[in-house]
Amino acid sequence: MMKIAIASPPFPKSIADGLEQAEKLVREAARREAVIICFPESYIPGYPGMIAEPEEKSPEVLQGALDEVCAMAVRHNIAIVMPMDWYSNAGLLNIAQVVSNTGKVLGYQTKNQLDPTEDDIWVPGTDRHIFEINGLKFGVTICHEGFRYPESVRWAAQNGAQIVFHPHFSGSNTDGVLLKDWGSMDNPYYEKAMMMRALENTIYFASSNYGSLYPESASSIIAPDGTCLAWQPYGTKGVIVADIDLEKATGLLAKRFKPQLYDYGR
């Protein structure tokens, strides 16, 4: 058994504010003995359009923020999946940095399938990766690609991932409907998609959303049988922690997939 944590932070007012809020949530996750915590999409410098006064986000500023995250991981002895904007030769990427509990950057996963509304914000990545911390093998899929492109999760499961972390953003901080029941047929489809990503691959799926006033999905941890192990109550901020049993994350259904039956070239 292993404890994992998912953060539902408020929208950061600045990079400094985001790091301050992250410290509190990381501390809480470590206190509850989680080995890793995941934050929502583009947490640093903050999801586009959700910051009142966007600040400079030069490569140097973003690197400085990542250095702070590394120090945070060491202080609290916990691994961190920290979504960020990041510069590449091709342009600005939407990524999730993976930092070990020793403060080492193990690499990052890019968002490869952008939502059509994001084409003028980020450039798409091209690679997928598997990470390992304390014997836990995992992948990362970011928002739209995890909801709309199940192949991103299946790839991870076929390559040994026992869990896929899913930083995302859905909802609003200004208007909307405050949901009541997790997975309700009246809710948007997002939570059903989370359930399916776990079920169709026989692995855990852990999704992190902002703690906005009107979220369209809850931060959630889903078991390989589709059971919701923990979720953040709608309209609230905080950390959820759940025990996961790695022996149950067999990847059975993902491994039985027969790609030779389908012609992806057409």
Side-chain angles (χ1 to χ4, degrees), residues 124-161:
T126 57
D127 299 319
R128 303 218 70 87
H129 303 282
I130 296 293
F131 305 93
E132 184 170 354
I133 290 174
N134 291 3
L136 175 68
K137 291 185 178 181
F138 62 93
V140 179
T141 186
I142 300 175
C143 198
H144 177 75
E145 62 180 0
F147 287 133
R148 299 285 190 176
Y149 296 87
E151 296 86 351
S152 65
V153 180
R154 175 141 291 173
W155 179 91
Q158 287 187 312
N159 283 275

Side-chain angles (χ1 to χ4, degrees), residues 4-9 21-32 34 36-39 78 219 221 230-233 236-242:
I4 65 164
I6 297 296
S8 298
Q21 296 297 330
E23 180 93 39
K24 296 175 182 177
L25 298 173
V26 167
R27 181 187 300 114
E28 173 62 15
R31 184 188 69 79
R32 295 169 64 182
I36 188 169
I37 182 171
C38 178
F39 283 80
I78 186 172
S219 292
I221 301 173
W231 59 281
Q232 183 72 32
T236 68
K237 308 167 184 64
V239 173
I240 55 172
V241 175

Side-chain angles (χ1 to χ4, degrees), residues 55-119:
E55 61 187 303
E56 177 192 8
K57 54 179 181 181
S58 67
E60 293 75 20
V61 167
L62 294 175
Q63 182 62 56
L66 178 58
D67 292 343
E68 289 292 328
V69 173
C70 293
M72 201 181 299
V74 174
R75 279 195 296 274
H76 300 288
N77 190 30
I78 186 172
I80 301 173
V81 178
M82 181 57 71
M84 302 181 67
D85 288 359
W86 203 252
Y87 288 94
S88 71
N89 291 335
L92 188 65
L93 295 167
N94 178 328
I95 72 168
Q97 295 277 10
V98 177
V99 179
S100 75
N101 64 318
T102 63
K104 180 180 179 181
V105 178
L106 301 182
Y108 61 74
Q109 177 60 58
T110 53
K111 187 175 187 178
N112 299 337
Q113 295 282 173
L114 299 180
D115 183 282
T117 63
E118 299 170 342
D119 286 343

Side-chain angles (χ1 to χ4, degrees), residues 24 120 126 166 257:
K24 296 175 182 177
D120 294 331
T126 57
H166 179 232
F257 177 63

Side-chain angles (χ1 to χ4, degrees), residues 159-206:
N159 283 275
Q162 297 152 308
I163 185 170
V164 168
F165 289 100
H166 179 232
H168 77 282
F169 166 56
S170 70
S172 170
N173 220 26
T174 55
D175 57 73
V177 176
L178 184 60
L179 306 181
K180 296 179 180 179
D181 301 315
W182 191 93
S184 168
M185 63 182 296
D186 295 324
N187 291 2
Y189 82 100
Y190 300 115
E191 291 161 354
K192 289 89 159 177
M194 297 176 194
M195 183 187 296
M196 288 308 303
R197 296 300 88 82
L199 272 170
E200 66 200 7
N201 293 295
T202 328
I203 61 169
Y204 290 91
F205 190 80

